Amino acid sequence: MTILGIETSFDETSAAFINNGTDFVYQYFSTSMAKHISTGGVVPEVASREQSIYIIPVLQQVLTSMQSHHSNIDAIAVTVGPGLIGSLLIGVETAKALAYAWDKPLIPVNHMLGHIYGVWLTYGQDMNQQWPKLALLASGGHTELILMESHAKFYKIGQTLDDAAGEAFDKVARLLGYPYPGGPHVSTLAELGNPQAINFPLPLRSATGYNFSFSGLKTAVLHYVKDNPSASKADIAASFQQTVITHLLRQTQAAAHKFAVKEVILGGGVAANKQLRSQLVTALQPIIVRIPDLKYTTDNAAVIASAAYYHQNFASWRYVQADPSLELPSIIDP
Ligand code: KG4
Ligand code: ZN
């Protein structure tokens, strides 16, 4: 089954086609990232205008490639939320128009569910063996723990109470004088510093449950920078990064043990962080940890098409709508 995926939830315009959920065939994307550097973050109006400029050329590229692969499209998958409404609408309305014109089924996909499936594209069918699994998703807008009993049965068991992990990286980068997106800058700088140099408070140290919090940590970094203007930026970056990672690991470990999961999955833009990737594997031993290839960490249509294969909730184009605040199903107080 060949699925054409379309992802336009934020600043990436991406289309891809994937066979049977795990076989990557082709992906093409454009990003409006350069437009957001001068403003220090994504301006929604600018992002959606760029989406409307890129969507047709990106699709042209992917459809030309499909012809050369002699592939036929069986279904169209599109991110319907969460994300920026103006950006989402470009992808959703385009997918609806294609589904109508080609008379193909449409599969609406939750963007966060897509982030889980980067590991299916990385490890293939092997991912279908061991359940239950726990997914740690950390991006610029979300930080969540998802318990998966099967493809069909999954629940959010923890989430951030304030800022997302990626957002904390972006804000600390700004404090240290680096442009958006800050995660890659902070992590490169952190390699040169001492992660034990500064004792930033560990978030939710004595709380129960599997939630996250990053705004107190961001404020602690802000105060430290103000009070210690000549402190080493590398030490600040390394100590901040280590506190974020320790917090992510502690909550993930607690949930992994409580629910006796067989595998832990990493996903989302922050999954590109080298230290997080290696420390997660060590901290969760002997549980298998699935780390996505770097190309599946940031927003991309390949993971949307993969998720759609395992969640074939076909919908008529008449009823598919963009929903900027769409959430995954959740259980409270597990
Ligand atoms: O998933 P994503 O591409 O977009 C959203 O859906 O938000 O995530 C982008 C986020 C940004 O906050 C960016 O700073 C962060 O991922 N990020 C990183 C790294 N690379 C990207 N954070 C920490 N370390 C990195 N190496
Ligand atoms: Zn994302």
Side-chain angles (χ1 to χ4, degrees):
M1 179 178 191
T2 301
I3 299 182
L4 168 68
I6 298 176
E7 153 68 45
T8 67
S9 66
F10 199 44
D11 58 349
E12 311 267 347
T13 314
S14 168
F17 64 105
I18 300 292
N19 283 333
N20 300 328
T22 52
D23 301 337
F24 178 88
V25 185
Y26 188 79
Q27 168 158 267
Y28 193 75
F29 70 91
S30 247
T31 174
S32 58
M33 188 78 80
K35 296 258 171 190
H36 308 297
I37 291 175
S38 62
T39 42
V42 172
V43 176
E45 170 73 18
V46 175
S48 68
R49 282 179 191 220
E50 295 297 301
Q51 292 284 5
S52 70
I53 292 168
Y54 296 144
I55 187 73
I56 303 288
V58 164
L59 276 167
Q60 260 178 333
Q61 188 74 26
V62 172
L63 295 177
T64 306
S65 160
M66 288 197 76
Q67 280 161 5
S68 67
H69 282 84
H70 304 291
S71 288
N72 288 317
I73 297 168
D74 296 304
I76 302 165
V78 64
T79 302
V80 289
L84 301 173
I85 184 64
S87 291
L88 286 166
L89 278 170
I90 305 292
V92 170
E93 297 306 313
T94 304
K96 283 161 72 172
L98 291 176
Y100 170 67
W102 294 340
D103 196 19
K104 298 284 179 193
L106 195 55
I107 308 175
V109 178
N110 181 308
H111 177 81
M112 296 311 289
L113 189 67
H115 274 308
I116 297 179
Y117 282 84
V119 291
W120 264 264
L121 290 165
T122 305
Y123 296 93
Q125 296 294 338
D126 199 30
M127 284 305 302
N128 294 318
Q129 308 296 323
Q130 306 268 1
W131 305 89
K133 303 178 196 289
L134 178 70
L136 168 63
L137 305 179
S139 70
H142 297 83
T143 308
E144 301 180 345
L145 279 170
I146 313 296
L147 178 66
M148 297 180 84
E149 292 172 17
S150 66
H151 286 291
K153 226 171 154 196
F154 60 93
Y155 320 93
K156 180 165 63 187
I157 57 164
Q159 64 186 339
T160 183
L161 303 173
D162 39 58
D163 293 350
E167 191 179 353
F169 270 96
D170 295 335
K171 286 177 176 169
V172 166
R174 205 169 175 173
L175 272 176
L176 298 178
Y178 292 93
Y180 176 86
H185 296 287
V186 172
S187 60
T188 304
L189 186 63
E191 308 244 322
L192 308 170
N194 172 7
Q196 260 84 50
I198 307 154
N199 207 359
F200 290 124
L202 187 65
L204 304 181
R205 180 186 280 277
S206 51
T208 53
Y210 314 105
N211 288 327
F212 300 96
S213 166
F214 296 98
S215 81
L217 173 60
K218 170 203 67 191
T219 309
V221 176
L222 173 69
H223 288 309
Y224 188 89
V225 170
K226 274 194 180 157
D227 296 346
N228 303 275
S230 56
S232 148
K233 280 189 183 181
D235 282 350
I236 296 171
S239 303
F240 158 76
Q241 175 176 273
Q242 189 53 52
T243 310
V244 171
I245 293 173
T246 304
H247 180 39
L248 292 172
L249 297 187
R250 270 176 57 116
Q251 306 305 75
T252 307
Q253 265 175 324
H257 292 139
K258 161 87 179 177
F259 297 101
V261 303
K262 299 220 173 88
E263 284 187 357
V264 167
I265 291 167
L266 183 62
V270 182
N273 187 282
K274 253 198 231 165
Q275 280 298 323
L276 174 61
R277 293 164 79 91
S278 71
Q279 292 187 34
L280 186 65
V281 173
T282 315
L284 269 297
Q285 268 171 2
I287 298 171
I288 302 164
V289 177
R290 304 292 197 168
I291 306 282
D293 276 353
L294 283 179
K295 67 174 174 175
Y296 302 127
T297 59
T298 44
D299 294 347
N300 67 89
V303 301
I304 301 304
S306 174
Y309 176 77
Y310 291 106
H311 301 266
Q312 295 180 19
N313 51 334
F314 298 113
S316 160
W317 60 268
R318 287 179 183 80
Y319 304 110
V320 173
Q321 300 283 351
D323 179 355
S325 48
L326 188 66
E327 296 209 21
L328 291 174
S330 94
I331 36 173
I332 297 142
D333 196 23

